[in-house]
Amino acid sequence: MLLSYKWLSDYVDLSGITPEKLAEELTLHGVEVDAVQELGADITNLVVGKVVSCEQHPDADKLKVCQVDIGEEEAVQIVCGAPNVAEGQSVAVARVGGRLPGGMKIKRAKLRGQVSEGMICSLQELGFEGKVVPKKYSEGIFVFPEEVVPGTDAKEPLGLDDTVLELDLTPNRSDCLSYLGAAYEAAAVLNRDVYMPEPRIVPAKDRTEEFVNVRVEADEWNPYYGATMIRGVQVSESPLWLQTALMASGVRPLNNVVDITNYVLLEYGQPLHAFDFDRFGSDEVVVRRAEQDETMTTLDGEERTLSAEHLVITNGTRPTALAGVMGGADSEVEATSENLLLESAYFKPETVRKAQKDLGIRSDSSIRFEKGVDPNRVAAAGERAASLIQQLAGGVVLADPVEHDTLNRDELELDVQADRINASLGTDMSADEMTSVLERLRFPVKEKKGTLHVTVPTRRQDISIEPDIVEEVARLYGYDNIPVTLPNTPSTKGGLTVAQKRKRRIRRFLESAGMHEAVSYSLTTAEKEAHFRSKEEPRVSVALPMSEDRSSLRTTLIPHLLEALSHNRNRNLYNVSLFELGSVFHTAETDVTKQPEEKTYLAGAFTGLWESHEWQGEKKPVDFFVVKGVVEGLLAELKAEVSFEKAERSGLHPGRTASVLIHDRPAGVIGQLHPDTAKAFSLPETYVVELDIDALLKAEEKTVRYRPIPRYPSVDRDIALVVDQTVSAAELERIIKENGQPLLDRVHLFDLYEGEHIAPGKKSAAFSLRYLDRDKTLTEEDVASVHQNVLDALEQKAGAQLRQQ
C-alpha cells in the first residue's frame, strides 16, 4: 500500500511530524513501513511554462522550436521532440542549471542548429513510473489540465512536494488498505483526532427507484447492493489534484468518473463501480450466480468463461460485471457517457476469492473484497463518490439509492480482564491506562471492577478474540516499554544427546580411518536391492513417487554405496572407501497399514588400495581383514564387545563373509561382494559392512574406569596349536579365556599356517598368552598350573595338539 503523506494529512493532523518520524512511529507500533520516498528530492529549478509559439524545426521533422514563457521578461527558446507539444499549453519546464531524477543536469544546447535553453518534461522524466502516467501523456510531455501562472514552482501542482510511505501490511491488517484506515492508525499512534470526509450532495427531486430496480438472487453472497443514478455527467480529464493523488498512490488516472471511484476506493477501502447506464441495456439490475460456462468480456478485453460458483451483475439477461473483481467492457464509462449507475456493494470474501483464483484476475477491488471490507462504510463510500461526481463531473444525483440490504453491521463486543492483559505482557498497567490506549484506537470501552467491555469497530475485522485485544494494547502501549523479564521456568544445560554424541564419534573415527561419508536417498526400488534382499520381501511403497527409481523406502544402505563407488570409478577414482549413517525401513505387512519400523544402520563399502606408499614400493589392497579391523576399532571406540561368525548372505562371497555380533547379539554382516554382484555394479573386488547400531546408539553411556599400571611383572607364553580346519580361531580364543582365569590378562592370535609339515585337513594357530597377578610377583608354579588348565581344555574341547615343529 502506497500512502501519500499530503493526502493522509487531510484526515489526521500531521503538523510537527515529518514523514520519516511518522514511518518510524508506525513501524514501532506494528504497521511496518518498508520505504519512505520523497518524490521531488532529485528535482531542482522546475517551473511552469506556457508555450507562446510552436513551429516546426527547419532541419528536423520530429523536432519543434518553441518559445516558452517561464515568468521572465522574455520567453526562452526550447527545442522539443514530443509529438503532443502545441501552442497555448501550460507545461513543466526544467530550466538551465536544473536537475532531474537519475542525475540528469539541464544545460544550454544546440539541436540541429537551434539553441535550446531548457527542457519541456514528460512525467516519466520527472520520476513517475510509466504504469501510473495517464495514457494520453505516456508518449509525450505532460500538459496541465488547467492554466497555471508561468514561472510558478511546478513541483507543488504536480504533487512532487509530497512524500510516499510504502506500507508492508500483514494479511490481517486489511483496514490499512485505505487512507481512512491508515489515518485511524496514525491518529492512535500520535494520539490525535481523525477528520472524516463529509459528502455534500444536492439531490434531485427524481428518485433512483423511478428509473432502475435492483434484484439480488444470491443473498448469501451479496447481502448488500446499492445503486445510485447520476444523470448529465460530463466525462473529462480529472483535475490535477486528483490525478497527482492517484499517481502518488500507484494508480493511473483515466477520466474524472473512473478516477473518483478509484479515489474513494483508496480513501474508504470500499471498491465501487460505475456503469454507463445508456449502454447497460436494461432498467433492472439482477445479481445472480453465473450459469455454467457462461461468458463475458471484462474491462481488460479478455473473454472469461464463468462457472456456477461465480457471482455476476447482470442487466437481467447478460453479465455486465464480475462481482467484486472487474467490470464488463459492454457498459464501460466512455468519453461520451452521460448517465451513470453507481454501484456500492458488499460481496462475501469467499465468493470474490474463488472467482479471482479461478479466472486469474487480481485487481485493487478483489484484493480488498477478499480480505473483507467494512460493512458500515459501504453505503457511505457510495455517497462520497456520488458527491465527488456531482462536484467534478457536473452530474445530477437522483435521490435515495435503490438498495438490497440484509447486511449484518453489528459491532463485536468483548470482555477482557485487565489483570490477564498484565499477566500476558508482564506489565503493571492500570485499567484506566488500558482504556486510554484502546480509546486512542477509537474502540469504545467501559471499565468495571477490572473488566474492560470493549466494542470493536467493524473496520477492524482482524479482531475477534481476547488475545487480539491484548495485542492491540501491547503495540499501542509500545513494545519498547514492555519490561524485559526472564521466564520463571526450569532450565537445563544444553548439549548433545547420547545418540548424537555417538553418531559424532562414529563419523570422526571413520573419517580418521580414511573413509568419506556419503549421503544417499532414503527412496529406492526393489530391483536395486535384489542382490541383497528378495524382491518379494514386504516394502513400504510411496503413494506419489517422484520417479520410478524412488518408489519405495530402502531396507539396506549397501546398494546406494555401491552405486557411489561405481560413479567414482567411472571418473578415474579407483581407491575409494565410503560410509553412510542413515535410516532403513522394515515392515512385515504386504499392504502397509501402520508406520514401518525405522532403524539406524551404519554401512561401509571399500574398493581398490587401502594403503599406497610409492617411495617404499608398498601397496596394501583392501581385504576382509582390513574391513574387519575398521569395524573392531570403531566398536572398541564405542566400548562395545564384538565378535564374528562365519556366515553366508545373499549378494556376498560365500567363503569371505561373517556375521557381526555386538555383545553376542547378531547386529550385521561383513564380507566381500559376490563376483556376480560386483559385476552387476561394474566393480572389481569390493568389501562391504552393514551394522544395525540402533540399540548401540540408545544404550546408556558407561562410566570410563581406569586401572593403575601393574606394579608386578607379567609372564608371556606362546603356544602353536594344530586343529582341524573347521575349528575357528575365535573358538580357540574363547576356550583360552574361559580356562585361563584368574591369571590370564591377554590373549592374541599372531599366526595362522597351513601347508608343509601340517597334515591335510589341519591348520596351525599360534597364540600369545600373557599372565599377570596385580597383587604379587608370579612364580613358575603359579603360571604352569593355569597354563596347563588351558592346554587341557583346548585338547578336550577342540581336539588341539601342541605343534612340535
Side-chain angles (χ1 to χ4, degrees), residues 491-565:
S491 60
T492 57
K493 182 181 179 181
L496 300 177
T497 64
V498 172
Q500 289 171 333
K501 288 179 182 178
R502 288 178 177 166
K503 285 181 179 179
R504 182 170 291 186
R505 285 164 62 185
I506 289 171
R507 289 188 172 96
R508 287 179 176 173
F509 177 87
L510 295 177
E511 287 167 356
S512 67
M515 300 182 71
H516 294 86
E517 184 174 8
V519 179
S520 61
Y521 278 105
S522 295
L523 299 170
T524 186
T525 61
E527 288 71 20
K528 288 187 177 181
E529 296 183 347
H531 292 283
F532 307 96
R533 307 275 182 183
S534 170
K535 289 186 179 181
E536 287 71 32
E537 181 179 342
R539 284 178 171 80
V540 181
S541 298
V542 179
L544 297 171
M546 65 178 80
S547 67
E548 184 99 8
D549 290 340
R550 305 280 181 253
S551 58
S552 64
L553 293 175
R554 65 187 177 189
T555 60
T556 174
L557 303 178
I558 293 176
H560 285 168
L561 288 179
L562 297 180
E563 286 181 344
L565 290 184

Coordinates of all heavy atoms in Angstrom, one line a residue, residues 491-565:
S491 N 15.4 -24.6 33.8 CA 16.2 -24.6 32.6 C 17.2 -25.8 32.7 O 17.5 -26.3 33.8 CB 17.0 -23.3 32.5 OG 17.8 -23.1 33.7
T492 N 17.6 -26.3 31.6 CA 18.5 -27.4 31.5 C 19.7 -27.0 30.7 O 19.6 -26.1 29.8 CB 17.8 -28.6 30.9 OG1 17.4 -28.2 29.6 CG2 16.7 -29.1 31.7
K493 N 20.8 -27.5 31.0 CA 22.0 -27.2 30.2 C 21.9 -27.9 28.9 O 21.5 -29.0 28.7 CB 23.2 -27.8 31.0 CG 24.6 -27.5 30.3 CD 25.7 -28.1 31.1 CE 27.0 -27.9 30.5 NZ 28.2 -28.5 31.2
G494 N 22.3 -27.1 27.9 CA 22.2 -27.6 26.5 C 23.3 -28.5 26.2 O 24.4 -28.5 26.8
G495 N 23.1 -29.4 25.3 CA 24.2 -30.4 24.9 C 23.6 -31.4 24.0 O 22.4 -31.5 23.7
L496 N 24.5 -32.3 23.5 CA 24.1 -33.4 22.7 C 23.6 -34.5 23.5 O 24.0 -34.8 24.6 CB 25.3 -33.8 21.8 CG 26.0 -32.8 20.9 CD1 27.2 -33.4 20.3 CD2 25.1 -32.3 19.9
T497 N 22.6 -35.2 22.9 CA 22.1 -36.4 23.5 C 23.2 -37.5 23.3 O 24.2 -37.4 22.6 CB 20.8 -36.9 22.8 OG1 21.1 -37.2 21.4 CG2 19.8 -35.8 22.9
V498 N 23.0 -38.6 24.0 CA 23.9 -39.8 23.9 C 24.0 -40.3 22.5 O 25.1 -40.5 22.0 CB 23.5 -40.9 24.9 CG1 24.3 -42.1 24.7 CG2 23.5 -40.5 26.3
A499 N 22.8 -40.4 21.8 CA 22.8 -40.8 20.4 C 23.6 -39.9 19.5 O 24.4 -40.3 18.7 CB 21.4 -41.0 19.9
Q500 N 23.4 -38.6 19.7 CA 24.1 -37.6 18.9 C 25.6 -37.6 19.1 O 26.4 -37.5 18.2 CB 23.6 -36.2 19.2 CG 22.2 -36.0 18.7 CD 21.6 -34.7 19.2 OE1 21.9 -34.2 20.3 NE2 20.7 -34.1 18.5
K501 N 26.0 -37.8 20.4 CA 27.4 -37.9 20.7 C 28.1 -39.1 20.0 O 29.2 -39.0 19.4 CB 27.7 -38.0 22.2 CG 27.4 -36.8 23.0 CD 27.6 -37.0 24.5 CE 27.3 -35.8 25.3 NZ 27.5 -36.1 26.8
R502 N 27.3 -40.2 20.0 CA 27.9 -41.5 19.5 C 27.9 -41.4 17.9 O 28.9 -41.9 17.3 CB 27.1 -42.7 19.9 CG 27.4 -43.0 21.4 CD 26.6 -44.1 21.9 NE 27.0 -44.4 23.3 CZ 26.3 -45.2 24.1 NH1 25.2 -45.7 23.7 NH2 26.7 -45.4 25.4
K503 N 26.9 -40.8 17.3 CA 27.0 -40.6 15.9 C 28.2 -39.7 15.5 O 28.9 -40.0 14.5 CB 25.7 -39.9 15.4 CG 24.5 -40.8 15.4 CD 23.3 -40.1 14.8 CE 22.1 -41.1 14.8 NZ 20.8 -40.4 14.3
R504 N 28.5 -38.7 16.3 CA 29.6 -37.8 16.0 C 30.9 -38.6 16.2 O 31.8 -38.5 15.4 CB 29.6 -36.6 17.0 CG 30.7 -35.7 16.7 CD 30.5 -34.4 17.5 NE 29.3 -33.6 17.0 CZ 29.0 -32.4 17.5 NH1 29.7 -31.8 18.4 NH2 28.0 -31.8 16.9
R505 N 31.0 -39.5 17.2 CA 32.2 -40.3 17.4 C 32.4 -41.2 16.2 O 33.5 -41.5 15.8 CB 32.1 -41.0 18.7 CG 32.4 -40.1 19.9 CD 31.9 -40.7 21.2 NE 32.7 -41.9 21.5 CZ 32.4 -42.7 22.6 NH1 31.4 -42.3 23.4 NH2 33.1 -43.7 22.8
I506 N 31.3 -41.8 15.8 CA 31.4 -42.8 14.6 C 31.9 -42.1 13.4 O 32.8 -42.6 12.7 CB 30.0 -43.4 14.3 CG1 29.5 -44.3 15.4 CG2 30.0 -44.1 13.0 CD1 28.1 -44.8 15.4
R507 N 31.4 -40.9 13.1 CA 31.8 -40.2 11.9 C 33.3 -39.8 12.1 O 34.1 -39.9 11.1 CB 31.0 -38.9 11.7 CG 29.5 -39.2 11.3 CD 28.8 -37.9 10.9 NE 27.5 -38.2 10.3 CZ 26.4 -38.2 11.0 NH1 26.3 -38.0 12.3 NH2 25.2 -38.5 10.3
R508 N 33.7 -39.3 13.2 CA 35.1 -38.9 13.4 C 36.0 -40.0 13.3 O 37.1 -39.9 12.7 CB 35.2 -38.2 14.8 CG 34.6 -36.8 14.8 CD 34.7 -36.1 16.1 NE 34.2 -34.7 16.1 CZ 34.1 -34.0 17.1 NH1 34.4 -34.4 18.3 NH2 33.6 -32.7 17.0
F509 N 35.6 -41.2 13.9 CA 36.5 -42.4 13.8 C 36.7 -42.8 12.4 O 37.8 -43.0 11.9 CB 36.0 -43.5 14.6 CG 36.8 -44.8 14.6 CD1 37.9 -44.9 15.4 CD2 36.6 -45.7 13.6 CE1 38.7 -46.1 15.3 CE2 37.3 -46.9 13.5 CZ 38.4 -47.0 14.4
L510 N 35.6 -43.0 11.6 CA 35.7 -43.5 10.3 C 36.4 -42.5 9.3 O 37.1 -42.9 8.4 CB 34.3 -43.8 9.7 CG 33.5 -44.9 10.4 CD1 32.2 -45.1 9.9 CD2 34.3 -46.2 10.3
E511 N 36.2 -41.2 9.6 CA 36.9 -40.2 8.8 C 38.4 -40.2 9.1 O 39.3 -40.1 8.2 CB 36.4 -38.8 9.1 CG 35.0 -38.6 8.4 CD 34.3 -37.3 9.0 OE1 34.9 -36.7 9.9 OE2 33.2 -37.0 8.5
S512 N 38.7 -40.4 10.4 CA 40.2 -40.5 10.7 C 40.8 -41.8 10.2 O 42.0 -41.9 10.0 CB 40.3 -40.5 12.2 OG 39.8 -41.7 12.8
A513 N 40.0 -42.8 9.9 CA 40.5 -44.1 9.3 C 40.6 -43.9 7.8 O 41.1 -44.8 7.1 CB 39.5 -45.2 9.6
G514 N 40.3 -42.8 7.2 CA 40.5 -42.5 5.8 C 39.2 -42.7 4.9 O 39.3 -42.7 3.7
M515 N 38.1 -42.8 5.6 CA 36.8 -43.0 4.8 C 36.1 -41.7 4.6 O 36.4 -40.7 5.3 CB 35.9 -44.0 5.5 CG 36.5 -45.4 5.8 SD 35.3 -46.5 6.6 CE 34.2 -46.8 5.2
H516 N 35.2 -41.6 3.6 CA 34.5 -40.4 3.3 C 33.0 -40.8 3.5 O 32.5 -41.8 3.2 CB 34.7 -40.0 1.9 CG 36.1 -39.5 1.6 ND1 37.1 -40.4 1.3 CD2 36.6 -38.3 1.7 CE1 38.2 -39.7 1.1 NE2 37.9 -38.4 1.3
E517 N 32.2 -39.8 4.1 CA 30.8 -40.0 4.3 C 30.0 -39.8 3.1 O 30.2 -38.8 2.3 CB 30.3 -39.1 5.4 CG 28.9 -39.4 5.8 CD 28.4 -38.6 7.0 OE1 29.1 -37.7 7.5 OE2 27.2 -38.9 7.5
A518 N 29.1 -40.6 2.8 CA 28.1 -40.5 1.7 C 26.7 -40.3 2.3 O 26.4 -40.7 3.3 CB 28.2 -41.7 0.8
V519 N 25.9 -39.5 1.5 CA 24.5 -39.3 1.9 C 23.7 -39.6 0.6 O 23.9 -39.0 -0.4 CB 24.3 -37.8 2.3 CG1 22.8 -37.6 2.7 CG2 25.1 -37.5 3.5
S520 N 22.8 -40.6 0.8 CA 22.0 -41.0 -0.4 C 20.5 -40.9 0.0 O 20.1 -40.7 1.1 CB 22.4 -42.5 -0.8 OG 22.1 -43.3 0.3
Y521 N 19.7 -41.1 -1.1 CA 18.3 -41.1 -0.9 C 17.8 -42.2 0.0 O 18.3 -43.3 0.0 CB 17.6 -41.2 -2.2 CG 17.5 -39.9 -3.0 CD1 18.3 -39.7 -4.1 CD2 16.6 -38.9 -2.7 CE1 18.3 -38.5 -4.9 CE2 16.5 -37.7 -3.4 CZ 17.3 -37.5 -4.5 OH 17.3 -36.4 -5.2
S522 N 16.7 -41.9 0.7 CA 16.0 -43.0 1.5 C 15.1 -43.7 0.6 O 14.5 -44.7 1.1 CB 15.3 -42.4 2.7 OG 16.2 -41.8 3.6
L523 N 14.9 -43.3 -0.6 CA 14.0 -43.9 -1.6 C 14.8 -44.7 -2.6 O 15.8 -44.3 -3.1 CB 13.1 -42.9 -2.2 CG 12.2 -42.1 -1.3 CD1 11.6 -40.9 -2.0 CD2 11.1 -42.9 -0.7
T524 N 14.2 -45.9 -3.0 CA 14.9 -46.7 -3.9 C 13.9 -47.6 -4.6 O 12.7 -47.3 -4.6 CB 16.0 -47.6 -3.2 OG1 16.7 -48.3 -4.2 CG2 15.4 -48.5 -2.2
T525 N 14.3 -48.7 -5.2 CA 13.4 -49.7 -5.8 C 13.8 -51.1 -5.3 O 15.0 -51.4 -4.9 CB 13.5 -49.7 -7.3 OG1 14.8 -50.0 -7.7 CG2 13.1 -48.3 -7.8
A526 N 12.9 -52.1 -5.5 CA 13.2 -53.5 -5.1 C 14.2 -54.0 -6.0 O 15.1 -54.9 -5.6 CB 11.9 -54.3 -5.2
E527 N 14.3 -53.6 -7.3 CA 15.3 -54.1 -8.2 C 16.7 -53.8 -7.8 O 17.6 -54.6 -7.9 CB 15.0 -53.6 -9.6 CG 13.8 -54.1 -10.3 CD 12.5 -53.6 -9.7 OE1 12.5 -52.6 -9.0 OE2 11.5 -54.3 -9.9
K528 N 16.9 -52.6 -7.2 CA 18.3 -52.2 -6.8 C 18.7 -53.0 -5.6 O 19.9 -53.1 -5.4 CB 18.3 -50.7 -6.5 CG 18.2 -49.8 -7.8 CD 18.4 -48.3 -7.4 CE 18.4 -47.5 -8.7 NZ 18.6 -46.0 -8.4
E529 N 17.8 -53.4 -4.8 CA 18.1 -54.2 -3.6 C 18.1 -55.7 -3.8 O 18.3 -56.5 -2.9 CB 17.2 -53.8 -2.5 CG 17.3 -52.3 -2.0 CD 16.4 -52.0 -0.8 OE1 15.5 -52.9 -0.5 OE2 16.6 -51.0 -0.2
A530 N 17.8 -56.1 -5.1 CA 17.5 -57.5 -5.4 C 18.7 -58.4 -5.0 O 18.6 -59.6 -4.7 CB 17.1 -57.7 -6.8
H531 N 20.0 -57.9 -5.1 CA 21.1 -58.7 -4.8 C 21.2 -59.0 -3.3 O 21.9 -60.0 -3.0 CB 22.4 -58.0 -5.3 CG 22.5 -57.9 -6.8 ND1 22.9 -58.9 -7.6 CD2 22.3 -56.8 -7.6 CE1 22.9 -58.5 -8.8 NE2 22.6 -57.3 -8.9
F532 N 20.6 -58.2 -2.5 CA 20.8 -58.4 -1.1 C 19.5 -58.7 -0.3 O 19.5 -59.2 0.8 CB 21.4 -57.1 -0.5 CG 22.6 -56.7 -1.1 CD1 22.6 -55.7 -2.1 CD2 23.8 -57.3 -0.8 CE1 23.7 -55.3 -2.8 CE2 25.0 -56.9 -1.5 CZ 25.0 -55.9 -2.4
R533 N 18.3 -58.4 -1.0 CA 17.0 -58.7 -0.4 C 16.1 -59.3 -1.5 O 16.2 -58.9 -2.6 CB 16.4 -57.4 0.1 CG 17.2 -56.6 1.1 CD 17.1 -57.1 2.5 NE 17.9 -56.2 3.4 CZ 18.0 -56.5 4.7 NH1 17.4 -57.5 5.2 NH2 18.8 -55.7 5.4
S534 N 15.2 -60.2 -1.1 CA 14.3 -60.7 -2.0 C 13.3 -59.7 -2.5 O 12.9 -58.8 -1.7 CB 13.5 -61.9 -1.3 OG 12.5 -62.3 -2.1
K535 N 13.0 -59.7 -3.8 CA 12.0 -58.8 -4.3 C 10.6 -59.0 -3.7 O 9.8 -58.0 -3.7 CB 11.9 -59.0 -5.9 CG 13.1 -58.5 -6.6 CD 12.8 -58.6 -8.1 CE 14.0 -58.1 -8.9 NZ 13.7 -58.1 -10.4
E536 N 10.4 -60.2 -3.2 CA 9.1 -60.5 -2.6 C 9.0 -60.0 -1.2 O 7.9 -60.0 -0.6 CB 8.8 -62.0 -2.7 CG 8.4 -62.5 -4.1 CD 9.6 -62.5 -5.0 OE1 10.7 -62.7 -4.5 OE2 9.4 -62.3 -6.2
E537 N 10.1 -59.6 -0.6 CA 10.1 -59.1 0.8 C 9.2 -57.8 0.9 O 9.3 -56.9 0.0 CB 11.5 -58.8 1.2 CG 11.6 -58.3 2.7 CD 13.0 -58.0 3.0 OE1 13.9 -58.5 2.3 OE2 13.2 -57.3 4.0
P538 N 8.3 -57.8 1.9 CA 7.4 -56.6 2.0 C 8.2 -55.3 2.1 O 9.2 -55.2 2.8 CB 6.6 -56.9 3.3 CG 6.7 -58.3 3.5 CD 8.0 -58.8 2.9
R539 N 7.7 -54.3 1.4 CA 8.4 -53.0 1.4 C 7.3 -51.9 1.5 O 6.2 -52.1 1.3 CB 9.2 -52.7 0.1 CG 10.5 -53.5 0.0 CD 11.2 -53.3 -1.3 NE 12.5 -53.8 -1.3 CZ 12.8 -55.1 -1.5 NH1 11.9 -55.9 -1.7 NH2 14.1 -55.4 -1.5
V540 N 7.8 -50.7 1.9 CA 6.9 -49.6 2.0 C 7.0 -48.8 0.7 O 8.0 -48.2 0.4 CB 7.3 -48.7 3.2 CG1 6.3 -47.5 3.3 CG2 7.3 -49.5 4.5
S541 N 5.9 -48.8 0.0 CA 5.9 -48.1 -1.3 C 5.4 -46.6 -1.1 O 4.6 -46.4 -0.2 CB 5.0 -48.8 -2.3 OG 5.5 -50.1 -2.6
V542 N 5.9 -45.7 -1.9 CA 5.4 -44.3 -1.9 C 4.2 -44.1 -2.8 O 4.1 -44.6 -3.9 CB 6.6 -43.4 -2.4 CG1 6.2 -41.9 -2.3 CG2 7.8 -43.6 -1.5
A543 N 3.2 -43.4 -2.2 CA 2.0 -43.2 -3.0 C 2.2 -42.4 -4.2 O 1.7 -42.8 -5.3 CB 0.9 -42.5 -2.1
L544 N 2.9 -41.3 -4.2 CA 3.2 -40.5 -5.4 C 4.7 -40.3 -5.5 O 5.2 -39.3 -5.2 CB 2.5 -39.1 -5.2 CG 0.9 -39.2 -5.1 CD1 0.4 -37.8 -4.7 CD2 0.3 -39.7 -6.4
P545 N 5.4 -41.3 -6.1 CA 6.8 -41.2 -6.2 C 7.3 -40.2 -7.1 O 6.6 -39.9 -8.1 CB 7.2 -42.6 -6.6 CG 6.0 -43.1 -7.3 CD 4.9 -42.6 -6.6
M546 N 8.4 -39.5 -6.9 CA 9.0 -38.5 -7.8 C 9.4 -39.1 -9.1 O 9.5 -38.5 -10.1 CB 10.1 -37.7 -7.1 CG 11.3 -38.6 -6.8 SD 12.6 -37.6 -6.0 CE 12.1 -37.5 -4.3
S547 N 9.8 -40.4 -9.0 CA 10.3 -41.1 -10.2 C 10.2 -42.6 -9.9 O 10.0 -43.0 -8.8 CB 11.7 -40.7 -10.7 OG 12.6 -41.2 -9.7
E548 N 10.4 -43.4 -11.0 CA 10.4 -44.9 -10.8 C 11.5 -45.3 -9.9 O 11.4 -46.3 -9.2 CB 10.5 -45.5 -12.2 CG 10.4 -47.0 -12.2 CD 9.1 -47.5 -12.6 OE1 8.2 -46.8 -13.0 OE2 8.9 -48.7 -12.5
D549 N 12.7 -44.6 -10.0 CA 13.8 -45.0 -9.2 C 13.7 -44.7 -7.7 O 14.5 -45.0 -6.9 CB 15.1 -44.4 -9.7 CG 15.5 -45.0 -11.1 OD1 15.0 -46.1 -11.4 OD2 16.3 -44.3 -11.8
R550 N 12.6 -43.9 -7.4 CA 12.4 -43.5 -6.0 C 11.0 -43.9 -5.5 O 10.3 -43.1 -5.0 CB 12.6 -42.0 -5.9 CG 13.9 -41.5 -6.4 CD 15.0 -41.7 -5.4 NE 16.3 -41.1 -5.9 CZ 17.3 -41.9 -6.3 NH1 17.2 -43.2 -6.3 NH2 18.4 -41.3 -6.8
S551 N 10.7 -45.2 -5.7 CA 9.3 -45.6 -5.5 C 9.1 -46.3 -4.1 O 7.9 -46.5 -3.8 CB 8.9 -46.5 -6.6 OG 9.7 -47.6 -6.7
S552 N 10.1 -46.7 -3.4 CA 9.9 -47.4 -2.1 C 11.0 -47.0 -1.1 O 12.1 -46.6 -1.5 CB 9.9 -48.9 -2.3 OG 11.1 -49.4 -2.8
L553 N 10.7 -47.2 0.1 CA 11.7 -46.9 1.2 C 12.8 -48.0 1.2 O 12.4 -49.2 1.1 CB 11.0 -46.8 2.5 CG 10.1 -45.6 2.7 CD1 9.4 -45.7 4.1 CD2 10.8 -44.3 2.6
R554 N 14.0 -47.6 1.4 CA 15.1 -48.6 1.4 C 15.1 -49.5 2.6 O 14.7 -49.1 3.7 CB 16.4 -47.9 1.3 CG 16.8 -47.0 2.5 CD 18.0 -46.2 2.3 NE 18.3 -45.3 3.4 CZ 19.3 -44.4 3.4 NH1 20.0 -44.2 2.3 NH2 19.5 -43.7 4.4
T555 N 15.6 -50.7 2.4 CA 15.7 -51.7 3.6 C 17.2 -52.0 3.8 O 17.5 -52.7 4.8 CB 15.0 -53.0 3.2 OG1 15.6 -53.6 2.1 CG2 13.5 -52.8 3.0
T556 N 18.1 -51.4 3.0 CA 19.5 -51.6 3.2 C 20.2 -50.4 2.6 O 19.7 -49.8 1.7 CB 20.0 -52.9 2.6 OG1 21.5 -53.0 2.7 CG2 19.6 -53.0 1.1
L557 N 21.4 -50.1 3.2 CA 22.2 -49.0 2.7 C 23.2 -49.4 1.6 O 23.7 -48.5 0.9 CB 23.0 -48.3 3.9 CG 22.1 -47.8 5.1 CD1 23.1 -47.3 6.1 CD2 21.2 -46.8 4.6
I558 N 23.5 -50.6 1.5 CA 24.6 -51.1 0.6 C 24.5 -50.7 -0.9 O 25.4 -50.2 -1.5 CB 24.8 -52.6 0.8 CG1 25.3 -52.9 2.2 CG2 25.8 -53.1 -0.2 CD1 25.5 -54.3 2.5
P559 N 23.3 -50.9 -1.5 CA 23.2 -50.7 -3.0 C 23.6 -49.2 -3.3 O 24.3 -49.0 -4.3 CB 21.8 -51.0 -3.3 CG 21.3 -52.0 -2.3 CD 22.0 -51.5 -1.0
H560 N 23.2 -48.3 -2.6 CA 23.5 -46.9 -2.9 C 25.0 -46.6 -2.7 O 25.6 -45.8 -3.5 CB 22.7 -45.9 -2.0 CG 21.2 -45.8 -2.4 ND1 20.3 -45.2 -1.7 CD2 20.6 -46.2 -3.6 CE1 19.1 -45.3 -2.3 NE2 19.3 -45.9 -3.4
L561 N 25.6 -47.2 -1.8 CA 27.1 -47.0 -1.6 C 27.8 -47.7 -2.8 O 28.8 -47.1 -3.3 CB 27.5 -47.7 -0.3 CG 27.2 -46.9 1.0 CD1 27.7 -47.7 2.2 CD2 27.7 -45.5 1.0
L562 N 27.3 -48.8 -3.3 CA 28.0 -49.4 -4.4 C 27.8 -48.6 -5.7 O 28.7 -48.5 -6.5 CB 27.4 -50.8 -4.6 CG 27.6 -51.8 -3.5 CD1 27.0 -53.2 -3.8 CD2 29.1 -52.0 -3.2
E563 N 26.6 -47.9 -5.8 CA 26.4 -47.0 -6.9 C 27.4 -45.9 -6.9 O 27.9 -45.4 -7.9 CB 25.0 -46.5 -6.9 CG 24.0 -47.5 -7.4 CD 22.6 -47.0 -7.4 OE1 22.3 -45.9 -6.8 OE2 21.7 -47.6 -8.0
A564 N 27.7 -45.4 -5.6 CA 28.6 -44.3 -5.5 C 30.0 -44.7 -5.8 O 30.8 -44.0 -6.4 CB 28.6 -43.8 -4.0
L565 N 30.4 -46.0 -5.4 CA 31.7 -46.5 -5.8 C 31.9 -46.5 -7.3 O 32.9 -46.2 -7.9 CB 32.0 -47.9 -5.2 CG 32.1 -48.0 -3.7 CD1 32.4 -49.4 -3.3 CD2 33.3 -47.1 -3.2

